[in-house]
Amino acid sequence: MRKSLWIICLAMFLVFGLALMAGAATKVRVMWAEYDGLTPEYAANLEKAFEEKHPDIDLEIISTPWNDMHDRLITYIAGGNAPDLSVIGTRWLLELMDMGVVEPIEQHLSPELLDNIDPALFEGKIKGVVYGLPVAAGTRVMYWRSDLLDKAPETFEEMRTMLEKVAKPEENFYGIALTGQKYVELTEFAYFLFGNDGYFFDVNEDGSYGKCIVNNEAGVSTLTFMNNLVKDNLTQPGVTAYKRDEVQNLFISGNAAIMMTGGFGATLLTQQNVPFKWDVAPLPHFEGKPQSSLIVTDAMVMFNDSKAKAEASKFLDFFYSDEWRLEFDKLVGFPPVTKSLADNEFFQTPVYKYMVDQIAGAKPWPLMAEWPECNDLIWDNIEATFLGQKTPQQAMDDAAAAIDALRGL
Amino acid sequence: MNRKTTHYLVYPAIIFVLLVLLFPFFVMVSTMLKPLEEVYSNPPHWIPKNLTFTNFSDIWSKYPLVAYFKNSFIVAIGTTVFNMLLCVPAAYAIARLRFIGKNFMMYLFLVVQMFSPIIVVISLFKIVARLGLLDNLLSLVLTNGVFTLAFAIWLLSGYFRGIPKAIEEAALIDGCSRLQTITRILIPIAMPGLVTTIIYTFISAWNEFMFALTFITSMEKRPLTLGLYNFIGRWTVQWQYLMAAAFLALIPVVILFMIIEKELVQGLAGGAVKG
Amino acid sequence: MSRAGKFWTTESRLAYLLLIPSAVFLIVFMFYPIFYVFLMSLFKVNKLANLTGFYGMGNFITLFKLPEFWQIIIRSCIWTALAVTAKTVIGLIIALLLNVDFRGRKLARTLIIIPWASSVPISAMLWQWTYNNDFGLLNYTLRWLGLNPPVWLAFPFSAFMANIWVDIWCGIPFMALVFLAGLQAIPQELYEAAEVDGATSVSKFRFVTLPLLSGVLTVATLLSILWTFNDFNVIYILTKGGPANSTDILITYIYKYAFQYIKFGPSAAMAVITFAILLTVSIIYARNFFREGAQ
């Protein structure tokens, strides 16, 4: 009796093992971001369609909420289980390179795919080699109430004057809705700073970053300007409590005249059928300074531990086909990254137009491994000014000193 | 103070407590019954002008809620069973038996509680991957089980300790086996404590987020806690959907509690104490 | 009896048998991770969480040099002390109330569990929505009552209070339930005997209820201390430690260092410091518990 039991177990084990080996297709794991607007069916359909076309490849799309993307990726990498491909915010690229885990993806991409990408979007190109394939890219724009303002302000000074006329804080109507809570990105400081011809670091000839310059004239006057907006009640009260989505909601509910955010704002405004007239415009700039928006790109990176690089590349070819990219771009609210879709009629609305036009003059986040810590240091000091704990000069001096110390400069 | 006065004080006190504690729950209900246009009205209002249930039908059709519920149940029930199997004997040993190293064991269990999941998640991830349990609900049963085990042992042993040994000793003298004293005497009396431990374990596993996020990768295996994050995006939070889904996620826990609650009421069976 | 004999009594053999399964699982799943945390705190750790060289107290010294580090430790202790006290007191009061036999008690008991029934991240999101100054119903209601509430999450003090309240709110049902179960085990006869002796409600509470509840009280508050000290989700979701670092506690700092800055060394060192603090508290606390157990 016992002996037959063992034989049965052994047989089951063999059959099981054989079954496992028989179905051994190459596995490609893609860490996929849940973009707002992207439906769960999109990823499911993409996976199915790809596997139908390539029956020898087993595609696993690991869907992750955006806000947890970074932390989950770090856990996977540190846990020795990195995926083959992942969507990342390009600002994380240097961090990942510092960990030594990313592959120069361009070696594995088909030339057709590489050629089809708008060259201006290659933020993930480090020292001439592409590490990050652009997935989504957009500049930030200004939304304004066209029923209350005669025109879109071109300069921040002009904006201030216009807001002084329309802001009615007693009636819960605010001039500009501003974020002040430490969030993933340093907006809106970046919007104002870039428009003041400022930046976070000195950029050397070879593209590397020098000292932190947020405490120079541009940085401090920017922060002072923002503080004055708050002090003079041209923003909503309690700025330091507001995250980006809350600022958007304030504009959408009709309580603010201006907000600055990404292209998805238009999607939200349309979705909610707002009863007021609104319009889009490029971000303002300070008088005498060049216009410069913030450009943020997301990229697809390949990990060097991957055992399925060729197959992963096939997935990218599939995903970047017009059919799939068009649906993706329509859903997520970013202008297309592929040249072949640039002239598609869907993207000829003002929102897309301004987002694309601003690309040439826009600046990205600094691409450095220590950026998350620098981001925090600057944000904490900015909040300190909003709370009246420090003056803008003090705050930026402290931030710059801490950042330089951190980077060993 | 006589009975009547006590009663008159209790009612307003309870109502006040419930109003304060359930305040956000009322907010949840108010939001989930509003259509999108009403969610962001400033100033807000409590009663929806256009009461609607479309939020529920929307999330039900767009997302595999049934799968999320099923997965949460598997994890929660699995963890509770696993936990009870291990913790009842362990708590008995600590509360009733003499052995060397008892204090050391207690401290060992306690030490485990001092490390938040965040700190150990990367190493646990390596272990789970090594065991081949990635994207497997069993990984959640085991990790949740382990994390709630220490707490449960402490809790339950505390309850066991609070029950006088006299009853069991009397039964032993009368000829009962040790097992019989446990099942027929100790456990029934300790039922309120047992029930509390069960509820604690179930709720901890039902609501666990960090391990679910780390170990589960496919959409179909997601438990509810992860599923709810579908509504929290990079640009916006869909509050009306989030509230509706969160409300649905509450229901099984509340129902479980309602079923189990009467066990909580049982005091010391009068007969057991006398004599 | 020889020492070996004392070790292997039937009683202790049974005890070890009953404890072995639990111990095994704990060792397999927790021993390696916790051990690795201790290792990381003493080594230089690269961004892949691998050890690259002995560092001794280096990570700890880096932490001690941080200007805000001591503030964060103190704030973590204040956070824990305030929250646990509030949860215990409120939980006990509610348990006493729910112990009285009144009509609708079953409904009240079921409703009490709701704050605990939803997961902490979701509860934190719910409170974020409630605290919102424009769309949140809290400030709306407070203004309707004629009060002038602040924008809760905007200022250091109100943000800290707002965070603590959410932690307390989430923890009250558990405490209430634990105490209620404990109260149930107190025989009615003891109260009746006390009444015969002329005891008032207050002295009944002091001399009957509290002593018999003390075991459960100690365990519940001790575990609540451990839990509350490491309560990450509430603060991270509501304020991320802001504004201007005013709500950062040790666990949010640990998270930042590990997952945002990818500095596992200092993060592990902070975990070890957390452990040291909690262990000290536990030892002092649990001495009461063990002393009783010797009855």
Side-chain angles (χ1 to χ4, degrees), chain B residues 233-251:
Chain B
R234 186 196 202 180
W235 293 100
T236 186
V237 177
Q238 297 173 289
W239 290 107
Q240 73 280 24
Y241 291 154
L242 185 61
M243 296 293 108
F247 180 81
L248 291 178
L250 279 178
I251 294 178

Side-chain angles (χ1 to χ4, degrees), chain B residues 261-273:
Chain B
E261 187 259 345
K262 65 171 139 51
E263 299 296 341
L264 216 53
V265 180
Q266 175 192 340
L268 259 181
V273 182

